[in-house]
Structures are given as structure tokens and as C-alpha cells.
Amino acid sequence: MARINEHYRTLSAGYLFPEIARRSRTFLEEHPGRSLMKLGIGNTTEPLTPSVIAGLHRGVGKLASRDSYSGYGDEQGNSDLRETLAAYYAGRGVKLKANEFFISDGAKPDSGNIQSIFGLDNIVAVQDPAYPVYVDSNVISGRAGSFNREEGRYGKLHYMPCNEENGFFPEVPKVKVDLIYLCSPNNPTGAVATADQLKGFVDYARSNKAVIIYDASYAEYISDPSLPRTIFEIEGAETCAIEINSLSKFSGFTGVRLGWSIVPEALLAEDSEPGELNALWNRRQCTFFNGASNVVQEGALAVFSPEGIAESRQLVAYYMENARIIREGLVSLGLKVFGGDNAPYLWLRTPGKMSSWDFFDKLLEETSVIGTPGSGFGPAGEGYFRLSSFGHREDIIRAVESIKANLKLQEKA
Ligand code: PLP
């Protein structure tokens, strides 16, 4: 008799985006002739750059003849690409070996899968609010306990609140935890950890034999040179951290799919030898994954050519100019806005202490703009709202103009 994985039943309903879609549909039915302006979703909109297109064509071209055709590649990824990534990190003063990089089909799959190399009795700490996969993957594997609807929390997870008082980056836990998920620059808050803040976590992890899972998917959005772009800029991080990254937001690979995880040989868990976690992740990938697409890996190699890097940086600059436009518009209304300086997300405090969903309705009703209620990312997101700078410039300008012209604010935020 087959039985399901009952932990799936424990997942809190995938409520956020379906609910946004439902409210948007209802609004359009009730307001025929109005169109929506979407600042809600973290999906890229601008085309791939010329170098990447050429790289992808090269990849396809190689498949067209017997001499250059390749079938399955290495599960860990093309060795040229792993070497290229190691060299890119070396350019930032971080020494990692190519065999510590594992190429994948994206940061979300890696963020979800990485927990499988850790025991089920690990205590997991997550930022609150957080990108949902860190919580959900641990719910599915059975580490989270039951969901308390009133509190909006799982009983066995350790939540690290991110709020205005701590600049949306959490304090080091005061209790003992084993696996710590951190995301910087952060989705949804747009906050970026300083080197001192990351050092606090690295020190904590080393003294508690904990492991940090560090999602750096938005690292390329950091322009402030004092902010770390990889956790491995922090001394000792190679003994206590795994980093996950991707080309989705740097180079518009959201639909193309390419990411990587760095599992250093020096990484240690309480009961592991040096090299063992690297070997476990290797084993996991060889067992469940058959390698990233060879065509896409050619595209990724093109990203890291000098022209490719320059083009991707231009793409980032385009979205960051959008962020500036959104921020300026919101600030001119007296709204309290966070993020958007070194991250593509803006996190605003709802005016007049409105709930996140009430503000969603108000913004939609008055301005036809769609955003994302902060409460959808965790209980500490209540009273906040996320706007995304991924969009065509003209749409961003239209949305900001509509907010400035039509949003009715009784009191200053
Ligand atoms: N990590 C964070 C924090 C994200 O916000 C996203 C996408 O929005 C991802 C990972 C997904 O990355 P990928 O497209 O590489 O799977």
C-alpha cells in the first residue's frame, strides 16, 4: 500500500501568489477597461545580452555535428565553467577550488535540495521574513514540526526576526541551532549584511559547529564596495558555510536556468571529516541530477567573458535605475522605504499601520499597481510591502506616476 509523504500536508497553503492572482482577477472583472501595473514579481524582463546569445548559439552549434556533439556531461558541471567560477571568485580575493563548485539548474533547486545532506534532527534557523523555499524544504523533509496558524510559524523552526530595529538583518541566535539560512542581498527586504554582521554568524557557526546556507543570488546587485558579495570574504567561512548563487538575476537566466553551490572541502559539521560534506553533495547530485544543460553552460561561460560581465553589469544597472525611480517616487509621498540601494527589492512600511493585505487592496484599487504583501514571507513581514524593480522602464515609470497621482495618504507613514 503506497503512502504519501505526510509532511506535504503540513505545508502552509501556497497562498501568496495565487491569492494575488485571485484579487487581481476580481479587480479586473469589477473595473473593466483598467489595466494592471505589476511591481510584484521577482522575474526578469530584459532580453539576454549579445555575448550570452552568442554563447548559447555556440552551444547549439556544437550539438549539430558528430565531432563536437556531447551527451551527458559531468554531474558536477563542465570543468571549464567550474574553473571559470573559481577564477571569478579569486578576482574578489576569495580562494576556492574548482571542485568546490557544483553547477546546477538554479539557486532555488539547490536551496531546496541542500538540506538532504544534513540529518533530520538538525535545528533549522531561518530569517523572518524569508524566501519561502528554505522553510518549505525543511517542512517537507520533516524538520519543521507542525504549523501554528495563529502565529504563522512552524513549531520546530527557529525564526530570526528581521525588522527596522535590526536593519532587517537578524541577530545571532541566543539558542543553539544547527543549520542557518541567510540570504543577502535579501529577498524580500532588500537588506544587505555587512561584513561585521556576517562575521557574527560565522563566529557563531564555528563555535556551535553549525552550518550556514548562504543564498547570494543577488550578490551582483551590491554596488557599495564595503559590503561582502560572498560569505567567503569572511575569514573562516570556508569551515562553516555553503554558498548558493545563480545567473538568474545577474544575467537574466530566470528561464534559461543555471546556478551553482559552493561546498568547501574545509566545511565541517559536528560529526563530519573535512571533505565529507563536499563528497555528500557530490553524491547527492550524482544520484538525483544529471548535470546542467550543455547549451546553457556554454551561455554561462559567455557571461564570464570580459564582454559578458560588462553586459550583465549593464543589465543590473538597468534594474537598479528602476529601483531608484521607485524609491524616489515613494519617498516623495512620505512613505518609509527600505532596500533598493544594493538590491532589486524595495520594502516599504505600510502607511497608517495598515496590514500588508489591506495595503495591497488599497494600492490596487487606487493606483492599479500590484505589489507583494510582506506578510506572505513570514509573520515579521506583516505591516510591510515588497515592490520589485524587475520590469521594463516605461512600465516602472507608469506605475510610479500612478502611485504618485492616485494613492491617497491620510497621514504620513
Ligand atoms: N534565491 C532567492 C533569494 C530568490 O529570490 C530567487 C528568485 O527569485 C532564487 C533564489 C531563485 O533562483 P533561481 O532562478 O536560480 O532558481
Side-chain angles (χ1 to χ4, degrees), residues 226-245:
S226 75
L227 295 169
R229 294 173 189 210
T230 153
I231 195 165
F232 299 117
E233 286 178 39
I234 310 301
E235 201 184 329
E238 68 285 358
T239 64
C240 66
I242 290 170
E243 182 163 299
I244 295 172
N245 206 328

Side-chain angles (χ1 to χ4, degrees), residues 42-43 104-111 131-134 183-188 215-218 244-249 253-255 257-260 345 386 390:
N43 203 353
S104 74
D105 55 349
K108 184 179 189 181
D110 282 3
S111 297
Y131 181 60
V133 67
Y134 319 136
C183 174
S184 174
N186 192 268
N187 177 11
D215 185 341
S217 293
Y218 298 96
I244 295 172
N245 206 328
S246 110
L247 292 182
S248 281
K249 304 300 162 73
F253 274 47
T254 39
R257 311 303 305 147
L258 190 118
W260 62 92
Y345 296 112
R386 189 191 79 172
F390 293 112

Side-chain angles (χ1 to χ4, degrees), residues 83-394:
E83 295 282 356
T84 299
L85 281 167
Y88 191 67
Y89 278 71
R92 291 178 179 162
V94 167
K95 245 173 113 177
L96 291 160
K97 288 189 274 185
N99 70 348
E100 297 174 310
F101 288 81
F102 295 84
I103 312 299
S104 74
D105 55 349
K108 184 179 189 181
D110 282 3
S111 297
N113 293 329
I114 196 75
Q115 47 75 30
S116 78
I117 63 171
F118 296 97
L120 292 179
D121 54 352
N122 281 284
I123 296 170
V124 175
V126 289
Q127 285 172 275
D128 175 19
Y131 181 60
V133 67
Y134 319 136
V135 169
D136 287 354
S137 57
N138 281 290
V139 172
I140 289 168
S141 55
R143 291 187 194 86
S146 54
F147 187 64
N148 180 326
R149 244 162 245 299
E150 239 132 76
E151 292 180 7
R153 292 163 181 249
Y154 288 91
K156 286 198 192 163
L157 295 184
H158 179 79
Y159 289 83
M160 302 183 291
C162 299
N163 47 40
E164 279 178 52
E165 290 74 57
N166 58 25
F168 299 100
F169 192 79
E171 284 92 28
V172 167
K174 295 196 173 52
V175 295
K176 192 173 175 329
V177 300
D178 307 308
L179 288 180
I180 303 168
Y181 288 81
L182 293 176
C183 174
S184 174
N186 192 268
N187 177 11
T189 66
V192 186
T194 63
D196 277 351
Q197 286 170 322
L198 284 189
K199 182 177 179 325
F201 273 88
V202 166
D203 290 348
Y204 172 93
R206 294 180 78 185
S207 53
N208 289 280
K209 298 213 165 69
V211 171
I212 298 167
I213 296 163
Y214 189 74
D215 185 341
S217 293
Y218 298 96
E220 296 289 347
Y221 284 75
I222 298 176
S223 56
D224 180 341
S226 75
L227 295 169
R229 294 173 189 210
T230 153
I231 195 165
F232 299 117
E233 286 178 39
I234 310 301
E235 201 184 329
E238 68 285 358
T239 64
C240 66
I242 290 170
E243 182 163 299
I244 295 172
N245 206 328
S246 110
L247 292 182
S248 281
K249 304 300 162 73
F250 182 33
S251 313
F253 274 47
T254 39
V256 181
R257 311 303 305 147
L258 190 118
W260 62 92
S261 285
I262 303 165
V263 186
E265 287 185 337
L267 179 67
L268 286 174
E270 191 175 339
D271 54 355
S272 75
E273 303 289 327
E276 203 173 342
L277 283 160
N278 176 283
L280 290 187
W281 182 243
N282 187 47
R283 183 60 207 261
R284 192 270 165 209
Q285 292 300 76
C286 291
T287 305
F288 289 104
F289 186 57
N290 243 343
S293 150
N294 44 15
V295 173
V296 170
Q297 292 189 80
E298 282 288 334
L301 275 168
V303 166
F304 291 101
S305 65
E307 314 78 58
I309 291 171
E311 289 167 5
S312 286
R313 290 191 175 148
Q314 268 176 17
L315 211 47
V316 168
Y318 178 90
Y319 292 125
M320 288 309 293
E321 173 62 9
N322 287 349
R324 191 195 64 72
I325 292 167
I326 300 172
R327 166 186 269 282
E328 209 172 88
L330 299 175
V331 168
S332 75
L333 293 175
L335 288 162
K336 191 132 197 216
V337 187
F338 305 91
D341 289 327
N342 293 281
Y345 296 112
L346 294 107
W347 188 240
L348 64 110
R349 196 162 82 197
T350 59
K353 298 199 167 70
M354 291 179 91
S355 78
S356 300
W357 277 110
D358 284 350
F359 185 68
F360 175 90
D361 290 335
K362 178 182 168 67
L363 193 68
L364 178 56
E365 190 70 38
E366 295 175 0
T367 72
S368 305
V369 171
I370 302 275
T372 312
S375 54
F377 298 98
E382 182 54 277
Y384 291 90
F385 202 75
R386 189 191 79 172
L387 294 176
S388 158
S389 63
F390 293 112
H392 301 309
R393 177 71 42 79
E394 59 276 21

